[in-house]
Amino acid sequence: MHCFINYKRVEKPLRIPNLEVEIGFGRGDFIVKLAKENPEKNFLGIELSGISLEKLLKRVKKEGLSNVFCTRVDAYWGFYLLFEDNYLENIYMNYPDPWFKKRHHKRRLTTPERLYIFAKKLKTFGEIRVRSDNYDFIEFTKETAETLECFEIEEGRLEVSEPLTKYEAKWLSMGRELYKLVLKKVREPKFVEHPRIEEVKELFPVKIPKVSVDKEKIQNTELKLGDKVYFKTFKVWEGEKGYLIESLLSEEGYYQKFFIEVKVKDDGIVVDVSPFSEVLRTRNLQKAIEKVAELLSS
Ligand SMILES: C[S@@+](CC[C@H](N)C(=O)[O-])C[C@H]1O[C@@H](n2cnc3c(N)ncnc32)[C@H](O)[C@@H]1O
């Protein structure tokens, strides 16, 4: 398997033995250190930043590491889509964005629905190890963890004797306080309502009888496809053989930007996702294709 995992295409659930995950690996110092010190284990980094991924890929290649993998996706959806329950050995979260303002706390990586998904995918006796320089974030995470009723919780200060990254060692030597929180899963978490999406094996094009295409009907529309599912179209481009519709689908907060292709043929019109758009194939994406076909036929 390649180091980079395309979560939209890879076969799920992911099968990588002895797997540990780092959420938000940034420069990659920590995951690379873990991988070098534990060649018998595998490590997957989940990151949103493309630059971080590029840096890690270069480093892994240069150092010839075969036990590091990475994917670019929001951590919640990465865990939700990629792993089966009780699969991961340990999870690491180092200095995640603390989102200081109260109104932004819902974006924190340790809100109940996120921590619930992380806990579900963790093996019993596996640990979520959090490091932060923000004590308010540690407290918030501890409180969330308590509500799930599935962890033994250990809290403390990070010590110089622990495996540290270059920056941590520097911060500690400067006298900065660094905190750690270890959440050991001892039973299954209490259920928390959480966002879901349904992936499908295949997306099917929709064929409709030939009509004259009215661009006004399909551009700049906003449609509700279901509970917390919204589909928006923007600009429509006309080409020689049909049209391309700039589209956005939001499913419970999972966003996809892509193009829908409308091919005008002699015997009818075919609506499909453009082959140039890399998408996660979901039930609602199929609905979006059907909706465009419906709009064209109306
Ligand atoms: C403050 S940096 C810390 C980076 C690194 N762990 C370290 O200790 O230097 C937080 C990192 O988490 C990533 N991140 C934030 N939210 C994320 C999410 N929901 N899913 C995946 N990565 C995320 C950011 O892109 C960023 O690289």
Side-chain angles (χ1 to χ4, degrees):
M1 189 178 278
H2 289 296
C3 171
F4 174 72
I5 292 175
N6 180 347
Y7 79 95
K8 293 179 182 171
R9 288 273 168 258
V10 74
E11 194 175 322
K12 303 176 189 88
L14 205 57
R15 298 259 173 240
I16 303 176
N18 303 325
L19 190 62
E20 310 207 345
V21 171
E22 183 181 3
I23 301 173
F25 54 79
R27 285 169 41 104
D29 296 329
F30 186 78
I31 196 167
V32 165
K33 195 164 194 244
L34 278 182
K36 282 185 178 168
E37 286 169 3
N38 302 277
E40 74 293 355
K41 292 185 184 172
N42 288 304
F43 298 90
L44 171 71
I46 300 186
E47 241 305 333
L48 281 171
S49 151
I51 294 170
S52 293
L53 259 101
E54 272 176 36
K55 282 191 180 154
L56 182 69
L57 288 168
K58 265 195 201 151
R59 205 150 157 201
V60 164
K61 196 172 167 196
K62 193 172 152 207
E63 310 216 15
L65 295 167
S66 57
N67 60 341
V68 180
F69 303 88
C70 58
T71 188
R72 187 177 181 188
V73 61
D74 168 81
Y76 173 84
W77 292 112
F79 274 71
Y80 177 89
L81 293 164
L82 288 171
F83 313 122
E84 61 188 1
D85 289 353
N86 291 293
Y87 187 69
L88 301 169
E89 305 280 335
N90 289 305
I91 299 167
Y92 303 88
M93 224 185 276
N94 295 326
Y95 309 93
D97 303 306
W99 296 108
F100 295 101
K101 290 182 185 156
K102 196 154 187 167
R103 68 172 190 279
H104 291 154
H105 284 185
K106 57 181 181 295
R107 300 185 194 170
R108 283 179 165 169
L109 271 171
T110 51
T111 54
E113 68 275 17
R114 294 189 179 99
L115 207 54
Y116 169 77
I117 282 294
F118 302 156
K120 282 301 284 178
K121 309 296 175 165
L122 190 63
K123 281 184 179 168
T124 309
F125 305 124
E127 293 177 345
I128 302 179
R129 298 184 195 155
V130 185
R131 290 181 182 184
S132 180
D133 54 351
N134 182 273
Y135 191 66
D136 175 58
F137 176 80
I138 293 285
E139 287 255 276
F140 174 92
T141 304
K142 205 170 65 175
E143 279 165 25
T144 314
E146 280 163 0
T147 65
L148 296 179
E149 296 176 8
C150 67
F151 296 116
E152 266 172 23
I153 302 175
E154 188 199 318
E155 186 195 339
R157 296 233 158 96
L158 202 62
E159 306 289 342
V160 247
S161 56
E162 307 194 43
L164 302 173
T165 64
K166 200 166 78 184
Y167 284 98
E168 285 173 321
K170 188 173 157 200
W171 290 336
L172 285 177
S173 73
M174 285 160 62
R176 199 156 148 189
E177 297 278 24
L178 301 178
Y179 308 96
K180 66 175 179 185
L181 187 67
V182 180
L183 310 175
K184 183 176 190 171
K185 178 175 171 181
V186 288
R187 62 184 77 85
E188 286 307 307
K190 213 169 105 181
F191 180 77
V192 175
E193 203 48 69
H194 53 279
R196 296 149 201 256
I197 46 181
E198 190 187 345
E199 221 182 329
V200 291
K201 281 257 169 282
E202 236 182 298
L203 291 174
F204 297 100
V206 179
K207 195 166 177 187
I208 53 170
K210 199 161 181 178
V211 285
S212 70
V213 172
D214 178 0
K215 264 170 59 173
E216 292 307 314
K217 276 189 191 168
I218 46 176
Q219 75 184 358
N220 299 318
T221 57
E222 188 171 342
L223 300 155
K224 191 168 186 228
L225 298 185
D227 188 27
K228 297 187 193 152
V229 182
Y230 301 92
F231 173 56
K232 261 181 151 180
T233 64
F234 302 93
K235 205 173 160 174
V236 174
W237 282 272
E238 193 171 347
E240 255 176 50
K241 291 180 186 155
Y243 301 83
L244 269 183
I245 311 167
E246 191 184 5
S247 308
L248 175 75
L249 179 67
S250 160
E251 303 175 63
E252 301 229 13
Y254 176 76
Y255 290 90
Q256 303 206 65
K257 268 187 172 172
F258 54 96
F259 285 95
I260 286 189
E261 184 182 69
V262 176
K263 274 196 211 152
V264 182
K265 299 188 168 184
D266 291 340
D267 60 342
I269 290 180
V270 179
V271 184
D272 201 356
V273 172
S274 158
F276 300 107
S277 292
E278 175 93 88
V279 289
L280 181 76
R281 293 166 289 213
T282 66
R283 175 92 41 224
N284 286 312
L285 193 52
Q286 182 69 52
K287 271 197 200 170
I289 300 169
E290 285 158 15
K291 202 75 203 172
V292 169
E294 199 183 302
L295 287 175
L296 287 168
S297 327
S298 64

